[in-house]
Amino acid sequence: MPERDLPPIDLEGGFSLDPLLRKYGRRRARMEPMYAEMLLAAKALVRPVSLQRSFPAGDLPELSDPMRFAHRIVLGLCSLGGQLERRVSDMFPDEPARAVILDEIGNAWVAGLARRLHRQIRSTAAAEGLRAGPGYRPGIGQWPVELQPRIFHLLEADRYGLHLTGGLMMEPRKSVSMIIPVGRSLGRTGYAPAAPDQ
């Protein structure tokens, strides 16, 4: 799962590496060619998957109870596939700097996928005169990771090569799952404090 504070790559505006390069300051010019090289590698390795499914809130009481203002609940799941993370592992012993950069790009890419999916869900809700809340993520905040198997089952994630480990970690690791409430007026949830829309 990507770091929460990593700037996402803007998939709709291209693949600007600027958010990842800003931290280097004066060293940026030296690092930029390596980032560009690893972005090309990432483009050849990723196999993006983006799944979503909407349910009437009453059909998912384990989720709708803590989101009692929701009319419906949308489950989402994004992944880059497993090739990029395997390449990172293979590179690390001999090329650790490039491996770390490729991993960083992968994290930003999957964060961008999740943000784009969330925007799509918000747009669909707005067209119906509704609001889409934040994308709550099992295992983050007070949302229990034990919700993951239910999400994976309802989205038939295994059909797309997405699985859970015995410890409920997502495989491939460059994956993000989301629980998004949709309704006319969304209040606080029982699992987590209110958060701004993504």
Side-chain angles (χ1 to χ4, degrees):
M1 180 174 291
E3 293 89 347
R4 299 186 72 196
D5 60 351
L6 187 66
I9 289 176
D10 181 1
L11 300 174
E12 293 172 353
F15 293 87
S16 171
L17 290 169
D18 185 63
L20 305 183
L21 289 165
R22 287 176 195 158
K23 63 179 176 284
Y24 290 105
R26 294 178 180 178
R27 294 191 298 136
R28 175 178 176 143
R30 184 156 57 89
M31 299 302 299
E32 199 158 357
M34 194 181 301
Y35 271 81
E37 176 191 349
M38 290 299 97
L39 178 57
L40 285 176
K43 288 179 178 180
L45 292 166
V46 299
R47 299 293 182 269
V49 172
S50 185
L51 309 174
Q52 65 168 294
R53 189 175 174 191
S54 180
F55 299 86
D59 288 359
L60 301 176
E62 70 274 34
L63 300 178
S64 62
D65 284 353
M67 297 189 289
R68 54 192 175 279
F69 297 103
H71 290 190
R72 68 174 184 265
I73 293 169
V74 181
L75 303 181
L77 183 57
C78 301
S79 178
L80 298 186
Q83 291 192 40
L84 185 144
E85 62 193 56
R86 286 193 291 271
R87 179 63 177 145
V88 168
S89 295
D90 291 344
M91 290 174 62
F92 202 86
D94 300 318
E95 301 178 275
R98 282 179 168 78
V100 167
I101 290 170
L102 182 59
D103 189 64
E104 183 183 13
I105 289 171
N107 287 340
W109 195 325
V110 74
L113 279 181
R115 181 163 290 199
R116 183 169 65 177
L117 177 60
H118 191 247
R119 280 200 297 258
Q120 291 170 352
I121 293 166
R122 289 173 64 188
S123 178
T124 299
E128 300 171 6
L130 302 172
R131 287 188 63 239
Y136 296 109
R137 299 181 185 178
I140 294 179
Q142 298 179 42
W143 285 81
V145 72
E146 287 77 16
L147 294 172
Q148 291 283 41
R150 181 75 164 141
I151 294 171
F152 270 59
H153 171 72
L154 290 170
L155 292 177
E156 300 181 346
D158 59 333
R159 293 179 55 192
Y160 302 90
L162 308 176
H163 308 281
L164 293 172
T165 68
L168 302 182
M169 299 295 290
M170 290 182 283
E171 291 285 351
R173 288 177 293 172
K174 294 288 186 288
S175 301
V176 175
S177 63
M178 293 181 286
I179 304 163
I180 302 170
V182 175
R184 298 195 185 281
S185 177
L186 300 172
R188 290 178 179 269
T189 73
Y191 283 140
D197 287 352
Q198 293 185 0

